[in-house]
PDB file of all heavy atoms in Angstrom:
ATOM      1  N   HIS Z  13      16.302  38.871 301.110  1.00 93.00           N
ATOM      2  CA  HIS Z  13      17.218  38.591 302.211  1.00 93.00           C
ATOM      3  C   HIS Z  13      18.647  38.958 301.821  1.00 93.00           C
ATOM      4  O   HIS Z  13      19.389  39.535 302.633  1.00 93.00           O
ATOM      5  CB  HIS Z  13      17.119  37.113 302.603  1.00 93.00           C
ATOM      6  CG  HIS Z  13      17.899  36.773 303.819  1.00 93.00           C
ATOM      7  ND1 HIS Z  13      18.604  35.599 303.913  1.00 93.00           N
ATOM      8  CD2 HIS Z  13      18.106  37.446 304.975  1.00 93.00           C
ATOM      9  CE1 HIS Z  13      19.203  35.569 305.093  1.00 93.00           C
ATOM     10  NE2 HIS Z  13      18.912  36.671 305.756  1.00 93.00           N
ATOM     11  N   ALA Z  14      19.053  38.669 300.615  1.00 94.00           N
ATOM     12  CA  ALA Z  14      20.403  39.005 300.153  1.00 94.00           C
ATOM     13  C   ALA Z  14      20.616  40.521 300.168  1.00 94.00           C
ATOM     14  O   ALA Z  14      21.665  41.006 300.594  1.00 94.00           O
ATOM     15  CB  ALA Z  14      20.640  38.462 298.747  1.00 94.00           C
ATOM     16  N   ARG Z  15      19.614  41.274 299.730  1.00 95.00           N
ATOM     17  CA  ARG Z  15      19.722  42.742 299.742  1.00 95.00           C
ATOM     18  C   ARG Z  15      19.824  43.269 301.172  1.00 95.00           C
ATOM     19  O   ARG Z  15      20.576  44.203 301.441  1.00 95.00           O
ATOM     20  CB  ARG Z  15      18.529  43.361 299.010  1.00 95.00           C
ATOM     21  CG  ARG Z  15      18.579  43.155 297.520  1.00 95.00           C
ATOM     22  CD  ARG Z  15      17.400  43.829 296.832  1.00 95.00           C
ATOM     23  NE  ARG Z  15      17.372  43.513 295.424  1.00 95.00           N
ATOM     24  CZ  ARG Z  15      18.093  44.146 294.506  1.00 95.00           C
ATOM     25  NH1 ARG Z  15      18.895  45.123 294.846  1.00 95.00           N
ATOM     26  NH2 ARG Z  15      18.001  43.792 293.238  1.00 95.00           N
ATOM     27  N   GLN Z  16      19.062  42.677 302.101  1.00 92.00           N
ATOM     28  CA  GLN Z  16      19.132  43.096 303.497  1.00 92.00           C
ATOM     29  C   GLN Z  16      20.512  42.813 304.083  1.00 92.00           C
ATOM     30  O   GLN Z  16      21.090  43.661 304.765  1.00 92.00           O
ATOM     31  CB  GLN Z  16      18.067  42.382 304.312  1.00 92.00           C
ATOM     32  CG  GLN Z  16      18.113  42.773 305.774  1.00 92.00           C
ATOM     33  CD  GLN Z  16      17.653  41.674 306.693  1.00 92.00           C
ATOM     34  OE1 GLN Z  16      17.328  40.583 306.261  1.00 92.00           O
ATOM     35  NE2 GLN Z  16      17.660  41.969 307.986  1.00 92.00           N
ATOM     36  N   VAL Z  17      21.065  41.649 303.820  1.00 92.00           N
ATOM     37  CA  VAL Z  17      22.388  41.279 304.331  1.00 92.00           C
ATOM     38  C   VAL Z  17      23.453  42.220 303.755  1.00 92.00           C
ATOM     39  O   VAL Z  17      24.305  42.713 304.488  1.00 92.00           O
ATOM     40  CB  VAL Z  17      22.707  39.806 304.009  1.00 92.00           C
ATOM     41  CG1 VAL Z  17      24.177  39.479 304.254  1.00 92.00           C
ATOM     42  CG2 VAL Z  17      21.824  38.885 304.824  1.00 92.00           C
ATOM     43  N   LEU Z  18      23.397  42.488 302.467  1.00 93.00           N
ATOM     44  CA  LEU Z  18      24.373  43.380 301.846  1.00 93.00           C
ATOM     45  C   LEU Z  18      24.249  44.805 302.375  1.00 93.00           C
ATOM     46  O   LEU Z  18      25.259  45.479 302.593  1.00 93.00           O
ATOM     47  CB  LEU Z  18      24.223  43.341 300.330  1.00 93.00           C
ATOM     48  CG  LEU Z  18      24.666  42.030 299.675  1.00 93.00           C
ATOM     49  CD1 LEU Z  18      24.310  42.029 298.197  1.00 93.00           C
ATOM     50  CD2 LEU Z  18      26.142  41.813 299.882  1.00 93.00           C
ATOM     51  N   ALA Z  19      23.029  45.285 302.590  1.00 93.00           N
ATOM     52  CA  ALA Z  19      22.839  46.633 303.138  1.00 93.00           C
ATOM     53  C   ALA Z  19      23.381  46.731 304.562  1.00 93.00           C
ATOM     54  O   ALA Z  19      24.023  47.722 304.931  1.00 93.00           O
ATOM     55  CB  ALA Z  19      21.357  47.008 303.102  1.00 93.00           C
ATOM     56  N   THR Z  20      23.174  45.702 305.369  1.00 90.00           N
ATOM     57  CA  THR Z  20      23.694  45.679 306.731  1.00 90.00           C
ATOM     58  C   THR Z  20      25.221  45.698 306.712  1.00 90.00           C
ATOM     59  O   THR Z  20      25.858  46.452 307.453  1.00 90.00           O
ATOM     60  CB  THR Z  20      23.190  44.441 307.481  1.00 90.00           C
ATOM     61  OG1 THR Z  20      21.756  44.488 307.512  1.00 90.00           O
ATOM     62  CG2 THR Z  20      23.725  44.387 308.900  1.00 90.00           C
ATOM     63  N   TYR Z  21      25.819  44.879 305.856  1.00 89.00           N
ATOM     64  CA  TYR Z  21      27.282  44.846 305.773  1.00 89.00           C
ATOM     65  C   TYR Z  21      27.821  46.184 305.259  1.00 89.00           C
ATOM     66  O   TYR Z  21      28.826  46.683 305.751  1.00 89.00           O
ATOM     67  CB  TYR Z  21      27.756  43.702 304.869  1.00 89.00           C
ATOM     68  CG  TYR Z  21      29.255  43.635 304.853  1.00 89.00           C
ATOM     69  CD1 TYR Z  21      29.950  43.083 305.913  1.00 89.00           C
ATOM     70  CD2 TYR Z  21      29.977  44.179 303.799  1.00 89.00           C
ATOM     71  CE1 TYR Z  21      31.331  43.040 305.923  1.00 89.00           C
ATOM     72  CE2 TYR Z  21      31.362  44.155 303.813  1.00 89.00           C
ATOM     73  CZ  TYR Z  21      32.029  43.578 304.863  1.00 89.00           C
ATOM     74  OH  TYR Z  21      33.396  43.566 304.877  1.00 89.00           O
ATOM     75  N   GLN Z  22      27.147  46.787 304.311  1.00 89.00           N
ATOM     76  CA  GLN Z  22      27.590  48.077 303.774  1.00 89.00           C
ATOM     77  C   GLN Z  22      27.581  49.147 304.863  1.00 89.00           C
ATOM     78  O   GLN Z  22      28.522  49.934 304.965  1.00 89.00           O
ATOM     79  CB  GLN Z  22      26.685  48.503 302.617  1.00 89.00           C
ATOM     80  CG  GLN Z  22      27.098  49.823 301.996  1.00 89.00           C
ATOM     81  CD  GLN Z  22      26.175  50.234 300.859  1.00 89.00           C
ATOM     82  OE1 GLN Z  22      25.092  49.692 300.698  1.00 89.00           O
ATOM     83  NE2 GLN Z  22      26.604  51.184 300.081  1.00 89.00           N
ATOM     84  N   ARG Z  23      26.529  49.176 305.695  1.00 84.00           N
ATOM     85  CA  ARG Z  23      26.480  50.133 306.811  1.00 84.00           C
ATOM     86  C   ARG Z  23      27.649  49.898 307.767  1.00 84.00           C
ATOM     87  O   ARG Z  23      28.302  50.838 308.199  1.00 84.00           O
ATOM     88  CB  ARG Z  23      25.160  50.021 307.565  1.00 84.00           C
ATOM     89  CG  ARG Z  23      24.016  50.766 306.938  1.00 84.00           C
ATOM     90  CD  ARG Z  23      22.805  50.847 307.860  1.00 84.00           C
ATOM     91  NE  ARG Z  23      22.350  49.553 308.338  1.00 84.00           N
ATOM     92  CZ  ARG Z  23      21.522  48.753 307.677  1.00 84.00           C
ATOM     93  NH1 ARG Z  23      21.056  49.130 306.500  1.00 84.00           N
ATOM     94  NH2 ARG Z  23      21.152  47.601 308.191  1.00 84.00           N
ATOM     95  N   HIS Z  24      27.925  48.645 308.096  1.00 83.00           N
ATOM     96  CA  HIS Z  24      29.046  48.322 308.983  1.00 83.00           C
ATOM     97  C   HIS Z  24      30.371  48.754 308.350  1.00 83.00           C
ATOM     98  O   HIS Z  24      31.202  49.377 308.996  1.00 83.00           O
ATOM     99  CB  HIS Z  24      29.066  46.821 309.266  1.00 83.00           C
ATOM    100  CG  HIS Z  24      30.334  46.347 309.896  1.00 83.00           C
ATOM    101  ND1 HIS Z  24      30.634  46.574 311.214  1.00 83.00           N
ATOM    102  CD2 HIS Z  24      31.377  45.673 309.383  1.00 83.00           C
ATOM    103  CE1 HIS Z  24      31.823  46.056 311.481  1.00 83.00           C
ATOM    104  NE2 HIS Z  24      32.294  45.497 310.394  1.00 83.00           N
ATOM    105  N   TYR Z  25      30.556  48.453 307.089  1.00 82.00           N
ATOM    106  CA  TYR Z  25      31.819  48.740 306.393  1.00 82.00           C
ATOM    107  C   TYR Z  25      32.077  50.241 306.314  1.00 82.00           C
ATOM    108  O   TYR Z  25      33.189  50.696 306.538  1.00 82.00           O
ATOM    109  CB  TYR Z  25      31.768  48.130 304.997  1.00 82.00           C
ATOM    110  CG  TYR Z  25      33.072  48.205 304.243  1.00 82.00           C
ATOM    111  CD1 TYR Z  25      34.012  47.195 304.384  1.00 82.00           C
ATOM    112  CD2 TYR Z  25      33.349  49.265 303.417  1.00 82.00           C
ATOM    113  CE1 TYR Z  25      35.213  47.246 303.698  1.00 82.00           C
ATOM    114  CE2 TYR Z  25      34.556  49.332 302.731  1.00 82.00           C
ATOM    115  CZ  TYR Z  25      35.473  48.314 302.863  1.00 82.00           C
ATOM    116  OH  TYR Z  25      36.664  48.379 302.195  1.00 82.00           O
ATOM    117  N   ASN Z  26      31.044  51.022 306.024  1.00 77.00           N
ATOM    118  CA  ASN Z  26      31.225  52.467 305.804  1.00 77.00           C
ATOM    119  C   ASN Z  26      31.136  53.301 307.084  1.00 77.00           C
ATOM    120  O   ASN Z  26      31.671  54.406 307.129  1.00 77.00           O
ATOM    121  CB  ASN Z  26      30.204  52.989 304.801  1.00 77.00           C
ATOM    122  CG  ASN Z  26      30.518  52.509 303.410  1.00 77.00           C
ATOM    123  OD1 ASN Z  26      31.666  52.328 303.053  1.00 77.00           O
ATOM    124  ND2 ASN Z  26      29.481  52.271 302.631  1.00 77.00           N
ATOM    125  N   ALA Z  27      30.461  52.808 308.113  1.00 75.00           N
ATOM    126  CA  ALA Z  27      30.251  53.635 309.301  1.00 75.00           C
ATOM    127  C   ALA Z  27      31.001  53.173 310.539  1.00 75.00           C
ATOM    128  O   ALA Z  27      31.183  53.945 311.458  1.00 75.00           O
ATOM    129  CB  ALA Z  27      28.764  53.704 309.620  1.00 75.00           C
ATOM    130  N   HIS Z  28      31.433  51.930 310.577  1.00 72.00           N
ATOM    131  CA  HIS Z  28      32.040  51.441 311.812  1.00 72.00           C
ATOM    132  C   HIS Z  28      33.427  50.830 311.605  1.00 72.00           C
ATOM    133  O   HIS Z  28      34.328  51.104 312.367  1.00 72.00           O
ATOM    134  CB  HIS Z  28      31.116  50.414 312.476  1.00 72.00           C
ATOM    135  CG  HIS Z  28      31.678  49.881 313.752  1.00 72.00           C
ATOM    136  ND1 HIS Z  28      31.631  50.601 314.923  1.00 72.00           N
ATOM    137  CD2 HIS Z  28      32.326  48.734 314.030  1.00 72.00           C
ATOM    138  CE1 HIS Z  28      32.229  49.900 315.871  1.00 72.00           C
ATOM    139  NE2 HIS Z  28      32.642  48.768 315.367  1.00 72.00           N
TER     140      HIS Z  28
END
Side-chain angles (χ1 to χ4, degrees):
H13 187 220
R15 289 182 186 277
Q16 179 210 3
V17 168
L18 290 173
T20 300
Y21 183 77
Q22 181 181 14
R23 278 191 305 275
H24 167 75
Y25 188 88
N26 289 328
H28 180 78

